[in-house]
Every structure is written in structure tokens, then in C-alpha cells.
Amino acid sequence: MTRAISKQLMQWVVWLGALVPIIAGFSSATLTTAGKAPLVPALFIFGDSLADPGNNNHLISLAKSNHPPYGRQFDTHMATGRFTNGRTAVDFLAEELGLPLVPPFLDSSTKGQKLLQGVNYASAGSGILNSTGMFFGEIITTWKQLEYFRDSTQPEIYKLLGKKAGEDFFRKSIFYLISGSNDFVNGYYFLIPTTPHGISIQDLMQLLISTVSSQLKVLYDLGVRKVGVAGLAPLGCCPSQITKYNLTAGNCVEFLNDVSEKYNDALKNMLLQLREELEDFHLVYSNLYDPLMEAINNPAMYGFNFTHAACCGVGKLNGKFICIPYSRPCDDPQHHIFFDYYHPTSRMYDLIFRKVYFNGPPFSIPYSGQFLVNLTI
Ligand SMILES: *[C@@H]1O[C@H](CO)[C@@H](O)[C@H](O)[C@H]1NC(C)=O
Ligand SMILES: *[C@@H]1O[C@H](CO)[C@@H](O)[C@H](O)[C@H]1NC(C)=O
Ligand SMILES: *[C@@H]1O[C@H](CO)[C@@H](O)[C@H](O)[C@H]1NC(C)=O
């Protein structure tokens, strides 16, 4: 190599050395690994096992799924604590928003700059009420999840961004709440016969709706403005409930589906009312009921063969118990609606996400998830 060339080369090395930190700094702040600028600053998630990305791994709890064969079709092919074979609906949402998969709050690496793309507080077994899910052992109740956000994450983000930029960050970020199933199937109806709490199902619904309303007001007071709230899936079609109530495949537990629909109607009304009440509160209802029902009623249209039997579990329809460590799952989870006795497969989650995100009423009310994301505020 001649001296001139090697000098030239050295100059390039010096140049590159100076450029790399600039490029790296730029890309980590504004671009994701996919090279797409995020559509919103961050995504924050509160809820139960439908969204838990591994918070319960850190708790002493029966509600855990950080063992194979959970996660077999996940990006890493490893169990993460998600209750499905791959990604959950909020993972698909994060991807669509151009954000990384949202990390669990309890993971020790969820701190510093990482908080600036969002945090997931969801905990399997939890419900809207503090009393729900206690028999699972440790869980993070929804109220506790909100406290973690208010007392830990939000102050840290304000420290990183300062007051003005911080306020803008929270106003523009997407918040998502997905809870309620456990308040019914692992709460009120955990034991049969059916009125164990001395309150009527109507009173329970009212209590749940007013509690969600209070929880949303807490977020509003903390400067949150864009929130999606999931309704209930058809609870009576879960393999666990079909098995529990001694039905055969092809049937759903009608009274539980009625409960889901009544609750969803009440939730929709409350959200519309709260939108009127609180200025600039952009609340959107996500309908999980119809996409699941459509798939159950028209399986061939979606390429499903198994509408009621879970891919992995114990007993009839795999509906008696969780998918236990190292048990043999079905070979074709993509043909199943349910992965285990309560939770959809990743493929079903993807379908639900697409229906709710890209469509307006009745899948998303008053407008699509995408509209909420693109709303300039
Ligand atoms: C629920 O728990 C929180 C603590 O996380 C507490 O502040 C709140 O008062 C409780 N709510 C009810 C209705 O007991
Ligand atoms: C289902 O069947 C089992 C055993 O046959 C019985 O013990 C149980 O009470 C039945 N449950 C319902 C909800 O009918
Ligand atoms: C599952 O359904 C698809 C079409 O929806 C069909 O091509 C396939 O043969 C079915 N597989 C089984 C195992 O029934």
C-alpha cells in the first residue's frame, strides 16, 4: 500500500469515527431498526394476560407462561411470559406504530432512554378490581400498574425530557387498557353456582365500569390524551369455559357471551360520555368480540380448522388447564383460534389487531385506531 493511499484511508477512518456516533445517536432517537420513523412517541400498556409481555416472570405467581412451548413462534422462539405461541395483539400494534416491542415494567433493563418508547405494565391474572386474581398469588392490579406509571415511569421521563417536552410526549403517546376478563371468569364466575359475591351481575358491571372510568380519569389528570380501551372477547367461547360448563365443541357458553356483550355496551357508552365530559380526551373503544366471533363462525374463511379446541393444554379441548411446561402442543397453531385454554394464538391476535386498528365502527368506536394515532394534538 502506498503512503498516499494509507494516509487517505486514515482520513476516512477518522471521518467515519466522527460520523458513527452521530448516525447512531440520530437513528436510536428517531428511527427504529426497521428504519421507519415511529408514528407516535411511545406506547404504554395496562392490562392482564392478553397483553402481559413477561411482568409475571418476576412475581411469585401461578399465572406464568415463561416456559416452552409458549413462545415457540415468537421472534426469538423462546418463552417470554406471553400467553401465546408468538406475538400478542399489542406487539402487532407496536410494530405498526414503528416502535420496538414494548418492554415489561418489571424487567430490570426497562429504564433510562428505553422508557422513551413506552412501557408495558400488564400482569396476567389481574383485573379491573383490586380483589380480582388474588388466588394466583402475586399479580400487579390495574391500580398498582397505574401507580407504577405515575410514581416511577412518568417522573423519570420528565427528568429525561424536561417539563414542556415531557408534557408533549405524554399527550401524543398512545395508551392502551385491556382488562376485565378476569373480573368475570376468574372472579365473579370462578366458582359455580353463580352469585358468590352477594351482588348481582348488573351491580358488578356497574362497579367495573365506574372503576374503569376512575382509572381513565387518573390518566387524564396525568396529561394523557390518546387512549384505546379494549372490550371483552366472547368469554363463553374460551376452551376453558366450554369445558367447565360441559359443552361440546361447536357450542359456546351463551350466558357468558351475553355478559360480554352487555359489559361491552356499557363500556362503549361510558367511553362516549367521558369523551364529552373531558376536553380533548381521545378515547377509542376496541371491539375484540366481533373479530373473534367472525373467526369462530367462519373458520374456513380465515384458514382455521379448530375453533374451540386449544392448541396446547390439558383435558377435553385442552380446556382444563394451562399449557404445562414442555408439553407437546399441536403441530399447526396457525390453524387454531386458541393457543391455550384462555388465550388466542398469535395468528388470531394478528387478525384482531388488523380489524380493530384499520377499521372504524363497529370494530373501533368512534373511529379506527389508525385515526387516533394520526390525530394531530
Ligand atoms: C386499590 O388498590 C390501590 C393500591 O394499589 C388503593 O390505593 C385503592 O384505594 C384500592 N381501591 C379499592 C377500591 O380498594
Ligand atoms: C360437568 O360435569 C361434571 C362431571 O360429569 C360435573 O361434576 C359438573 O358439575 C358439571 N358441570 C356443570 C357446569 O354442569
Ligand atoms: C385446515 O383447513 C384448511 C383450509 O382452511 C385445509 O386446507 C386443511 O387441509 C385443513 N387441515 C386439517 C388438518 O384439517
Side-chain angles (χ1 to χ4, degrees):
M1 201 185 290
T2 67
R3 263 183 86 89
I5 292 177
S6 87
K7 201 173 158 209
Q8 182 71 53
L9 212 62
M10 274 311 291
Q11 210 149 38
W12 273 106
V13 171
V14 169
W15 262 100
L16 274 173
L19 270 173
V20 164
I22 296 170
I23 295 167
F26 174 76
S27 63
S28 70
T30 59
L31 297 174
T32 61
T33 42
K36 192 170 95 171
L39 303 175
V40 293
L43 172 61
F44 293 89
I45 298 148
F46 304 83
D48 57 21
S49 57
L50 294 172
D52 188 341
N55 280 309
N56 279 24
N57 300 355
H58 304 276
L59 302 177
I60 301 167
S61 175
L62 293 174
K64 283 190 177 194
S65 63
N66 54 340
H67 56 259
Y70 286 106
R72 257 194 172 189
Q73 282 81 28
F74 189 67
D75 309 46
T76 57
H77 304 286
M78 306 253 280
T80 58
R82 286 168 176 78
F83 284 76
T84 185
N85 57 313
R87 293 181 171 204
T88 64
V90 293
D91 292 329
F92 290 112
L93 171 60
E95 184 184 20
E96 182 62 34
L97 296 177
L99 293 167
L101 301 190
V102 185
F105 173 78
L106 290 184
D107 198 299
S108 58
S109 71
T110 305
K111 60 180 184 208
Q113 295 288 324
K114 211 171 165 185
L115 303 179
L116 298 179
Q117 295 189 298
V119 178
N120 186 335
Y121 307 84
S123 169
S126 71
I128 292 162
L129 303 179
N130 285 344
S131 55
T132 294
M134 275 166 22
F135 67 88
F136 286 118
E138 288 180 334
I139 50 165
I140 321 171
T141 63
T142 301
W143 281 114
K144 190 74 198 167
Q145 294 176 34
L146 291 167
E147 285 172 19
Y148 281 151
F149 171 70
R150 183 193 63 194
D151 301 339
S152 169
T153 310
Q154 196 172 38
E156 269 195 68
I157 288 176
Y158 273 125
K159 237 186 275 166
L160 289 169
L161 296 181
K163 184 146 167 43
K164 196 158 182 314
E167 281 172 359
D168 199 49
F169 171 90
F170 291 113
R171 197 169 54 240
K172 290 182 170 154
S173 291
I174 295 287
F175 287 68
Y176 200 74
L177 270 64
I178 176 163
S179 195
S181 309
N182 286 319
D183 296 282
F184 293 100
V185 293
N186 287 315
Y188 195 78
Y189 292 121
F190 184 52
L191 301 168
I192 338 170
T194 48
T195 46
H197 298 270
I199 66 169
S200 68
I201 187 69
Q202 288 78 15
D203 287 348
L204 174 72
M205 284 194 200
Q206 224 159 49
L207 175 62
L208 291 172
I209 296 294
S210 69
T211 305
V212 176
S213 171
S214 309
Q215 291 165 346
L216 290 168
K217 283 175 181 160
V218 166
L219 286 175
Y220 184 82
D221 289 340
L222 294 171
V224 169
R225 290 296 176 268
K226 291 183 169 191
V227 189
V229 183
L232 295 177
L235 293 174
C237 296
C238 289
S240 61
Q241 302 307 301
I242 296 171
T243 305
K244 177 177 170 184
Y245 290 94
N246 292 337
L247 301 182
T248 48
N251 298 292
C252 296
V253 186
E254 286 306 325
F255 92 88
L256 280 177
N257 283 358
D258 287 348
V259 163
S260 302
E261 291 196 275
K262 287 210 177 73
Y263 175 82
N264 287 344
D265 284 342
L267 180 65
K268 263 179 268 181
N269 290 337
M270 181 275 282
L271 294 175
L272 289 174
Q273 201 181 321
L274 210 54
R275 282 177 69 97
E276 300 282 307
E277 227 172 90
L278 298 174
E279 201 183 332
D280 279 336
F281 203 14
H282 308 285
L283 291 168
V284 169
Y285 168 79
S286 294
N287 174 350
L288 310 192
Y289 191 99
D290 288 342
L292 256 162
M293 244 8 216
E294 271 184 20
I296 288 170
N297 291 332
N298 310 288
M301 208 171 107
Y302 296 94
F304 291 121
N305 308 68
F306 302 93
T307 50
H308 296 72
C311 171
C312 184
V314 177
K316 201 176 108 193
L317 302 179
N318 284 329
K320 279 238 184 295
F321 202 63
I322 193 165
C323 175
I324 57 179
Y326 302 98
S327 57
R328 192 189 148 90
C330 66
D331 291 329
D332 53 348
Q334 72 278 10
H335 290 150
H336 283 253
I337 290 180
F338 289 96
F339 182 70
D340 73 5
Y341 67 159
Y342 279 116
H343 307 100
T345 53
S346 200
R347 192 152 161 260
M348 188 64 232
Y349 272 134
D350 193 14
L351 290 171
I352 293 172
F353 161 70
R354 275 166 211 295
K355 269 279 191 286
V356 166
Y357 188 80
F358 292 108
N359 293 281
F363 297 107
S364 196
I365 297 173
Y367 41 60
S368 71
Q370 191 176 33
F371 189 92
L372 176 71
V373 164
N374 291 331
L375 205 63
T376 311
I377 63 169

